[in-house]
Amino acid sequence: MITIALVDDHVIVRSGFAQLLSLEPDMKVINQFSSAQEARNGLAKQAVDVCIIDISMPNESGLTLLEDVANSAGCIMLS
């Protein structure tokens, strides 16, 4: 099972990705975060295999989050 975290400031985007990924039997979205800081805190508590991260978010770019999680999870960046 591939575990996934979604990081995007738009709930509709996170919900859409979660819904699409739920159709895959070997993938499971286990966390959704609305900011890089929220994701950083949550991922410190529960690791995932893959993070899907929005590059452009208010307060902090997804690129800074990428620097923190790239060594512990695969990352897919959205622009």
Side-chain angles (χ1 to χ4, degrees):
M1 178 71 61
I2 299 169
T3 57
I4 301 168
L6 302 173
V7 186
D8 195 298
D9 56 312
H10 297 97
V11 69
I12 191 100
V13 172
R14 291 192 317 266
S15 297
F17 272 108
Q19 190 172 22
L20 286 172
L21 292 168
S22 73
L23 301 173
E24 296 297 325
D26 59 343
M27 295 182 185
K28 183 174 183 179
V29 175
I30 61 170
N31 284 314
Q32 296 185 39
F33 304 107
S34 62
S35 70
Q37 185 60 48
E38 187 180 305
R40 193 175 289 107
N41 294 337
L43 293 171
K45 296 173 187 167
Q46 183 176 22
V48 295
D49 298 316
V50 176
C51 290
I52 299 175
I53 306 169
D54 183 14
I55 289 176
S56 178
M57 292 186 287
N59 301 322
E60 186 177 359
S61 166
L63 293 173
T64 59
L65 177 62
L66 174 66
E67 293 172 1
D68 294 336
V69 300
N71 290 329
S72 60
C75 296
I76 298 170
M77 300 300 295
L78 305 174
S79 60

